Amino acid sequence: MVHAFSRPRSGPGPQVVAPDADHARPRRQPLGIRDTRTRTALVTGASSGIGAAVARRLGDEDGWRLVLTGRDPVRLRKVADATSATAFAADLTLPGADRQLTDFTLATTGRVDLLVAGAGVGWAGEFLDMPPHTIDEVLDINVLATLRLVRLLLPGMVAAGSGRVVLIGSLAGSVAVRDEAVYSAAKAAVGAFADALRYELRGTGVGVTHVVPGVVDTPFFERRGAPYQRSRPRPVPPERVADAVRTAVLRGRDEVYVPSWLWLPCRVRGAAPGLYRRLAARFG
């Protein structure tokens, strides 16, 4: 059954979708996790791509109660059915949607132990050709919606003395990518936010993980309006990023690159920015 929630402006409201037990998959015991308490994970951008892969990865294991959110209620329902999750379909860029999602999740589960902020959107092309409303959309979805949701959920984690925030960044935010100026800026903001917040939360028991994927084989490139045409780095499946998220949560890692060799160009740019810029200008 789908329940409609009010929202501050016209249009269909956020929707809650109950999990379909007939489609639920058997779960594995969580490897290496000693805490047997059922924990709650809230995953954004869960209707497709990395968010959906993370939901499926966590849904394979016992010990996780999942709340999923995304803008497409049909696709979100399918992911929720496959992971025994509760889904809350909403556009988190709309005023009040983040509060409704937070209130619903806490009312349903009591607490949030893990937030995986996987919602994101891109745009490819020269900055001078980018429509102004698309600039707003890229920043709203990748940055502002994430920061607002973290702000709402973090006090509960700090009060509990435990929890983890996982922010899905991008290589574009670490090294900057030609023809993706605003997306690069947005993901750079996410990385800086992760670092600054981690400093603030030291000693609270709450961790912050920044996941830095390269090119991921998802519908992201179709939706941004341009296919991925570079020869390297090659796209990796979203399940690989989901595995990295799980490992980071298990081991309490601050930063993870997917694939792992991507740390090298990031280090080169940090240590020798002039050299990196010359190489990037020549090879793309």
Side-chain angles (χ1 to χ4, degrees):
M1 181 171 61
V2 178
H3 304 276
F5 281 69
S6 62
R7 73 202 293 173
R9 67 196 226 190
S10 61
Q15 297 175 313
V16 178
V17 184
D20 187 341
D22 293 336
H23 294 85
R25 296 183 298 173
R27 299 186 177 188
R28 300 195 300 266
Q29 290 292 331
L31 300 176
I33 298 179
R34 297 180 180 180
D35 186 359
T36 59
R37 174 179 58 86
T38 298
R39 295 169 297 170
T40 297
L42 172 59
V43 183
T44 74
S47 55
S48 67
I50 293 174
V54 170
R56 289 190 292 266
R57 187 65 184 87
L58 296 178
D60 280 342
E61 298 182 352
D62 286 328
W64 287 108
R65 177 171 44 195
L66 302 180
V67 177
L68 312 179
T69 189
R71 294 192 291 179
D72 188 322
V74 175
R75 289 186 299 176
L76 192 64
R77 177 188 288 275
K78 293 179 180 178
V79 179
D81 287 346
T83 57
S84 298
T86 298
F88 188 97
D91 181 348
L92 294 179
T93 66
L94 295 180
D98 51 351
R99 170 62 69 181
Q100 289 182 328
L101 172 62
T102 299
D103 290 347
F104 168 78
T105 303
L106 295 179
T108 303
T109 66
R111 60 187 287 170
V112 173
D113 302 283
L114 171 64
L115 169 64
V116 180
V121 65
W123 190 88
E126 293 189 7
F127 179 66
L128 292 179
D129 295 330
M130 191 173 186
H133 72 86
T134 307
I135 296 175
D136 294 342
E137 180 185 21
V138 170
L139 293 176
D140 283 349
I141 294 176
N142 290 288
V143 183
L144 297 179
T146 294
L147 268 59
R148 286 193 293 261
L149 189 59
V150 172
R151 179 62 183 85
L152 289 171
L153 293 171
L154 202 55
M157 293 184 181
V158 172
S162 64
R164 180 159 293 272
V165 174
V166 176
L167 303 173
I168 305 298
S170 170
L171 180 65
S174 298
V175 301
V177 175
R178 178 189 299 169
D179 293 335
E180 296 184 44
V182 176
Y183 180 72
S184 295
K187 288 303 187 180
V190 170
F193 173 66
D195 283 340
L197 186 62
R198 193 180 301 115
Y199 300 147
E200 291 185 24
L201 294 176
R202 179 176 295 180
T204 65
V206 180
V208 179
T209 297
H210 181 213
V211 178
V212 186
V215 184
V216 185
D217 187 10
T218 72
F220 173 88
F221 294 101
E222 299 173 12
R223 295 174 191 150
R224 75 172 187 171
Y228 180 75
Q229 297 178 327
R230 300 173 186 265
S231 59
R232 291 184 181 278
R234 294 181 178 178
V236 300
E239 289 76 18
R240 187 166 175 181
V241 183
D243 287 341
V245 169
R246 176 190 180 269
T247 299
V249 172
L250 273 174
R251 300 181 182 178
R253 290 181 175 174
D254 291 340
E255 193 163 58
V256 180
Y257 294 88
V258 187
S260 59
W261 65 264
L262 288 180
W263 70 270
L264 180 59
C266 297
R267 295 298 184 268
V268 171
R269 183 180 184 275
L275 172 62
Y276 180 86
R277 292 189 187 105
R278 289 194 295 272
L279 292 173
R282 180 176 180 180
F283 298 106

